[in-house]
Amino acid sequence: MRKLFFAFLILATNILQVDYSYAADIQVITSGAFAEALKQLVPEYEKQSPNKVIISYGSSMGAAPDSIPSRLAKGERFDVLILAAPSLEGFIKSGDLRSGTRVDLVASVMGAVVKAGAPKPDISTMNGLKLALLNAKSVAYSASASGVYLSTELFPKMGISEQMNKTARKIYSERVASVVARGDADLGFQQVSELLPIPGVDFIGELPQEAQKTVLFSAGITSNTQNLDASKDLIVFLASTKAVDTIQKAGLKPALPAIPW
């Protein structure tokens, strides 16, 4: 009977023991639009998973040393990329990301800030936005997806490219709101989720609908990942209803897509 008891005890211990041998360190690099949401979501993910998430940051495009394209070109290894969907598609075509792993996480819109306490121009209409741009002595905008749209599409559409060439400049490797906060620009434009977390500025609103550019930000898994299952698990969490409240508080709109695997 005593032997039977100890045999049962050993069996029960083995059943109850949690196997963490599959835990992985997931290397994620994200562009700025999803950065704040990801920082808030990772602790929640790690509460429900043995996996650990290591976050790096870089812009979706451009040749800045810390941009995602530059870091991949230098041979840095990541498991998951989160960036503007058009740029992510480029990485799928180049073979850097696995085909069939794209998951759209959020939709992001553009907005503007001024230095805290400064007068807030009304940008709720196209005319108001144009006046704000023309009246600003200096304008800052992102060197990533939103800034490319401003300089190559919106400014020409509004007929103010010549004036903006004199007063507006791209910001590399830094948040636009940080430039405005220290007084190096009167007006700053970027994705709303990249503007809201920065102290020292006042958010003045989203661009009017006629000027707005909604950008999808998506996740994909790298072709050389050694943590495929863990990477999929993280993306499923980020795309789930569990992440909705945090995503919305960060100034983003959850996509809640169907998962392709």
Side-chain angles (χ1 to χ4, degrees), residues 41 44-45 48 232-240 242-243:
L41 287 168
E44 294 303 313
Y45 172 73
Q48 63 157 45
K232 288 182 175 181
D233 185 60
L234 172 62
I235 292 173
V236 167
F237 174 81
L238 296 176
S240 72
K242 296 176 183 178

Side-chain angles (χ1 to χ4, degrees), residues 143-231:
S144 195
S146 61
V148 170
Y149 162 71
L150 284 176
S151 59
T152 64
E153 295 185 47
L154 184 60
F155 293 164
K157 175 183 175 181
M158 299 176 75
I160 58 173
S161 291
E162 185 176 344
Q163 297 94 320
M164 290 299 97
N165 286 338
K166 299 175 183 177
T167 59
R169 64 187 177 99
K170 290 181 181 179
I171 304 302
Y172 295 88
S173 304
E174 186 178 16
R175 294 285 181 88
V176 168
S178 297
V179 176
V180 176
R182 64 172 179 264
D184 289 345
D186 295 334
L187 193 59
F189 293 86
Q190 202 164 15
Q191 307 300 132
V192 171
S193 61
E194 297 185 67
L195 298 172
L196 294 181
I198 306 302
V201 296
D202 288 334
F203 180 66
I204 59 175
E206 298 178 1
L207 269 60
Q209 191 59 44
E210 304 94 315
Q212 189 59 260
K213 177 76 169 182
T214 300
V215 179
L216 285 175
F217 282 80
S218 310
I221 301 173
T222 57
S223 298
N224 59 3
T225 182
Q226 297 178 355
N227 298 308
L228 179 59
D229 289 341
S231 297

Side-chain angles (χ1 to χ4, degrees), residues 7-247:
F8 174 77
L9 184 61
I10 292 171
L11 178 62
T13 301
N14 289 336
I15 291 173
L16 293 173
Q17 186 175 2
V18 178
D19 180 13
Y20 288 106
S21 61
Y22 64 92
D25 288 340
I26 309 169
Q27 297 282 346
V28 180
I29 186 165
T30 181
S31 60
F34 198 68
E36 187 64 25
L38 184 63
K39 282 193 292 185
Q40 300 297 322
L41 287 168
V42 161
E44 294 303 313
Y45 172 73
E46 291 180 343
K47 286 179 184 178
Q48 63 157 45
S49 169
N51 299 324
K52 299 298 178 186
V53 180
I54 297 93
I55 308 175
S56 298
Y57 304 96
S59 58
S60 293
M61 58 181 69
D66 60 349
S67 72
I68 293 175
S70 295
R71 295 181 71 167
L72 291 179
K74 288 185 292 188
E76 291 192 52
R77 294 174 62 95
F78 301 98
D79 299 301
V80 176
L81 307 187
I82 302 174
L83 66 162
S87 297
L88 186 135
E89 278 298 315
F91 287 125
I92 291 175
K93 291 177 181 177
S94 68
D96 291 300
L97 289 178
R98 290 172 177 254
S99 178
T101 64
R102 170 180 166 176
V103 175
D104 296 332
L105 298 177
V106 296
S108 176
V109 297
M110 296 174 60
V113 293
V114 294
K115 186 176 176 65
K120 297 180 181 180
D122 181 4
I123 64 167
S124 62
T125 65
M126 288 295 286
N127 187 57
L129 175 62
K130 184 174 182 177
L131 288 174
L133 285 163
L134 293 176
N135 290 334
K137 293 180 180 178
S138 55
V139 176
Y141 61 90
S142 169
S144 195
S146 61
V148 170
Y149 162 71
L150 284 176
S151 59
T152 64
E153 295 185 47
L154 184 60
F155 293 164
K157 175 183 175 181
M158 299 176 75
I160 58 173
S161 291
E162 185 176 344
Q163 297 94 320
M164 290 299 97
N165 286 338
K166 299 175 183 177
T167 59
R169 64 187 177 99
K170 290 181 181 179
I171 304 302
Y172 295 88
S173 304
E174 186 178 16
R175 294 285 181 88
V176 168
S178 297
V179 176
V180 176
R182 64 172 179 264
D184 289 345
D186 295 334
L187 193 59
F189 293 86
Q190 202 164 15
Q191 307 300 132
V192 171
S193 61
E194 297 185 67
L195 298 172
L196 294 181
I198 306 302
V201 296
D202 288 334
F203 180 66
I204 59 175
E206 298 178 1
L207 269 60
Q209 191 59 44
E210 304 94 315
Q212 189 59 260
K213 177 76 169 182
T214 300
V215 179
L216 285 175
F217 282 80
S218 310
I221 301 173
T222 57
S223 298
N224 59 3
T225 182
Q226 297 178 355
N227 298 308
L228 179 59
D229 289 341
S231 297
K232 288 182 175 181
D233 185 60
L234 172 62
I235 292 173
V236 167
F237 174 81
L238 296 176
S240 72
T241 55
K242 296 176 183 178
V244 165
D245 287 346
T246 299
I247 285 171

